[in-house]
Amino acid sequence: MLNSFEHTAFRLEVRDRYNEPEESEPLARYMAGDRAQPAWLGEWVDLVRDATATGHRFARVRVVTVPLTDYSRFGLWCSEFTTRAGEDIRYLPRDQADAADVPDHDYWLFDSSTLVRMNFDNEDRFLGTELIRDPAEIVQHNYWRDAAWHEAVRRDDFAGQQHL
C-alpha cells in the first residue's frame, strides 16, 4: 500500500521501542556517537522522496514518553533524514496523547479510507498487519489522526525542545 496510495499515507506510532533486528546495529552505533545515515534507512528515504516529488504526502505522529528513551532519541535523529526527504513527522508527548484520547495501537491510514492496524507482541516485535474494513472504525481512526496531528509538534521544533 505504501506504493499504491493516491494522496496521503498517515502513520500513528505509539510504542517507545520497536524491536526490529535491522535497527540493532544502527542503534548501537548511534549510542556510541556515530551520526552517519544508517544504510537501511536509505530505501525508506528514497521511497518518501520519490513519492513526495509526485505530489503524494507522507505524515506521521510519534507518541513518545518524556524523557525520551534511547530508542526514541534514535528515532528522532533518524527522522531528520526522512523529513529532509519530504515526510512530515510530528511528536506528541504521551500524557498529551492520553488527554486527547489517542489510541494505544499503531496504524496506517491511506487516503483517509484504508486502515491498516499494526500488531506487535509484548517484546515490541512486529507480528503483522490487519486490514480493517469497518467504516465506523475507519472514521474513528481519522478522528484520532486529526486529534493527534492537532496536538503534535513538528519534528524540528520537538528536537529543539529536547535539546537534540
Side-chain angles (χ1 to χ4, degrees):
M1 293 188 170
L2 292 169
N3 293 307
S4 63
F5 67 94
E6 292 184 41
H7 306 287
T8 60
F10 171 81
R11 170 83 186 265
L12 179 71
E13 293 180 346
V14 300
R15 304 182 81 77
D16 281 323
R17 179 178 82 123
Y18 292 87
N19 192 351
E20 295 292 333
E22 71 265 3
E23 292 180 351
S24 297
E25 184 180 332
L27 174 59
R29 286 196 314 263
Y30 169 81
M31 295 305 297
D34 181 354
R35 298 301 187 262
Q37 178 178 325
W40 62 267
L41 194 56
E43 187 176 331
W44 180 253
V45 168
D46 291 344
L47 175 71
V48 169
R49 184 178 296 115
D50 292 347
T52 57
T54 61
H56 294 82
R57 182 167 185 267
F58 278 94
R60 181 183 311 252
V61 171
R62 287 184 171 151
V63 175
V64 292
T65 300
V66 178
L68 298 178
T69 64
D70 289 344
Y71 184 89
S72 291
R73 281 195 308 280
F74 171 69
L76 183 60
W77 171 72
C78 287
S79 66
E80 178 181 343
F81 302 106
T82 61
T83 56
R84 273 195 242 144
E87 185 173 15
D88 191 348
I89 300 178
R90 301 192 179 195
Y91 283 79
L92 182 59
R94 190 163 310 283
D95 60 338
Q96 290 177 286
D98 292 344
D101 291 326
V102 172
D104 65 353
H105 62 269
D106 287 32
Y107 66 89
W108 278 101
L109 188 59
F110 298 98
D111 299 319
S112 300
S113 61
T114 302
L115 174 61
V116 178
R117 184 171 175 155
M118 313 291 289
N119 297 309
F120 296 86
D121 68 13
N122 290 336
E123 298 298 317
D124 304 310
R125 290 181 296 249
F126 180 62
L127 298 174
T129 61
E130 178 183 359
L131 179 63
I132 308 295
R133 297 187 186 276
D134 177 29
E137 279 196 64
I138 294 169
V139 168
Q140 179 64 58
H141 283 76
N142 275 280
Y143 170 80
W144 284 328
R145 176 204 55 208
D146 294 348
W149 193 257
H150 177 74
E151 297 295 328
V153 176
R154 287 186 182 275
R155 183 256 173 227
D156 291 348
D157 295 336
F158 185 77
Q161 291 170 1
Q162 301 302 309
H163 308 289
L164 298 173

